[in-house]
C-alpha cells in the first residue's frame, strides 16, 4: 500500500534497543507499512548510532548523577515532540505511537501535551517512583543518597518524570497496554492502576 501522507506511527523503543530488536519487530513495522502508515523510528539517547564507540546500549542514560537521567527523559520527550510537530507540519492528520519500556514512558509523557490517534505501549515504565523502591536499583539509590540528595528530592524528581502522575490527552479507548504480569520494574498493580 502506498503512503497517503495522512497517517504515521512513531516507534519509540526502550532501554537496550539493539540491531537485534529490529529483527524481532520488523514484521510489526512491515504490517503497519502495508496498512498505509508511515513508520518513523526514534532512537533513544545512548543507543544504536547515538552511543559512543565501545559503550553498551543505554550506558550513560543512568549515571551516579540523577540529573543525567532527568535530562535524558526531558530530552527524549522533546525529541519525540519535535517528531510529532514535524509530521503535523507535513500535513499528517493521524499520528499514533508505539513504545516499549522507556520509549513507552516517553510517549506517555508526551501524551500530556499531545493527543495521539492511538498508542500501543509494551511493558511501559509507568512509574519511576516504584522503580526507585526496587531492590535492583538499591546500589544506585545508595549512590544518589551518598551524593547528598534527599529521599524527598529524589522522590519528587522521579515523580515528575513518571507517566503515572500525568494526565493523558489521548482517548483511553485508543490506548493499548501490553504488560508483563511479573515485570521486575513496574508491578502489575501499578500498571493496572
Amino acid at each position: 500500500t502506498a503512503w497517503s501522507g495522512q497517517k504515521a506511527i512513531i516507534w519509540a523503543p526502550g532501554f537496550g534497543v539493539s540491531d537485534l530488536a529490529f529483527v524481532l519487530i520488523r514484521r510489526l513495522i512491515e504490517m503497519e507499512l502495508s496498512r498505509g502508515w508511515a513508520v518513523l523510528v526514534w532512537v533513544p539517547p545512548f543507543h544504536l548510532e547515538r552511543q559512543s564507540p565501545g559503550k553498551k546500549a543505554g550506558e550513560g542514560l543512568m549515571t551516579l548523577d540523577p540529573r543525567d537521567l532527568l535530562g535524558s527523559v526531558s530530552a527524549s520527550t522533546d525529541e519525540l515532540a519535535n517528531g510529532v510537530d514535524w509530521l503535523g507540519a507535513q500535513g499528517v492528520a493521524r499520528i499514533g505511537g508505539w513504545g516499549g519500556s522507556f520509549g513507552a514512558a516517553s510517549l506517555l509523557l508526551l501524551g500530556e501535551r499531545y493527543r495521539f490517534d492511538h498508542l500501543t505501549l509494551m511493558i511501559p515504565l509507568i512509574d519511576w517512583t516504584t522503580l526507585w523502591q526496587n531492590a535492583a536499583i538499591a546500589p544506585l539509590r545508595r549512590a544518589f543518597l551518598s551524593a547528598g540528595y534527599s529521599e524527598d528530592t529524589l522522590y519528587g524528581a522521579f515523580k515528575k518524570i513518571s507517566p503515572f502522575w500525568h494526565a493523558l490527552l489521548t482517548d483511553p479507548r485508543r490506548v493499548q497496554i501490553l504488560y508483563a504480569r511479573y515485570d521486575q520494574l513496574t508491578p502489575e498493580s501499578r500498571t493496572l492502576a
Side-chain angles (χ1 to χ4, degrees), residues 144-186:
F144 287 179
L145 294 171
S146 294
Y149 294 99
S150 72
E151 283 281 355
D152 289 344
T153 298
L154 291 167
Y155 181 84
F158 288 117
K159 186 175 179 180
K160 186 173 183 171
I161 62 170
S162 295
F164 184 83
W165 303 98
H166 296 267
L168 186 64
L169 295 177
T170 304
D171 181 343
R173 295 170 296 179
R174 308 278 301 159
V175 178
Q176 177 182 29
I177 297 179
L178 309 168
Y179 70 93
R181 176 167 286 154
Y182 303 108
D183 186 348
Q184 294 177 10
L185 302 178
T186 302

Side-chain angles (χ1 to χ4, degrees), residues 11-187:
W11 279 65
F15 283 151
V17 68
S18 65
D19 290 333
L20 175 61
F22 288 96
V23 171
L24 302 172
I25 62 174
R26 179 179 176 165
R27 176 148 163 62
L28 297 172
I29 292 173
E30 288 173 346
M31 285 175 24
E32 297 303 338
L33 294 171
S34 73
R35 293 180 177 135
W37 290 84
V39 177
L40 286 80
V41 178
W42 169 73
V43 176
F46 304 102
H47 290 81
L48 300 173
E49 68 272 6
R50 295 183 71 181
Q51 182 55 287
S52 301
K55 302 270 187 173
K56 295 178 188 172
E59 190 176 338
L61 195 61
M62 289 186 79
T63 69
L64 296 179
D65 188 340
R67 293 174 295 184
D68 291 336
L69 174 61
L70 297 172
S72 291
V73 170
S74 177
S76 297
T77 305
D78 288 345
E79 288 173 6
L80 289 166
N82 288 338
V84 167
D85 290 343
W86 181 83
L87 287 168
Q90 306 309 306
V92 177
R94 295 175 60 196
I95 302 171
W98 178 94
S101 188
F102 178 77
S106 299
L107 285 171
L108 282 168
L109 286 173
L110 179 57
E112 182 179 47
R113 302 185 316 214
Y114 179 78
R115 184 183 312 274
F116 286 96
D117 175 76
H118 66 280
L119 289 170
T120 299
L121 309 166
M122 185 180 225
I123 312 174
L125 186 51
I126 295 286
D127 189 355
W128 287 89
T129 64
T130 57
L131 176 63
W132 181 241
Q133 302 302 321
N134 190 303
I137 303 297
L140 192 59
R141 181 180 181 170
R142 283 192 298 275
F144 287 179
L145 294 171
S146 294
Y149 294 99
S150 72
E151 283 281 355
D152 289 344
T153 298
L154 291 167
Y155 181 84
F158 288 117
K159 186 175 179 180
K160 186 173 183 171
I161 62 170
S162 295
F164 184 83
W165 303 98
H166 296 267
L168 186 64
L169 295 177
T170 304
D171 181 343
R173 295 170 296 179
R174 308 278 301 159
V175 178
Q176 177 182 29
I177 297 179
L178 309 168
Y179 70 93
R181 176 167 286 154
Y182 303 108
D183 186 348
Q184 294 177 10
L185 302 178
T186 302

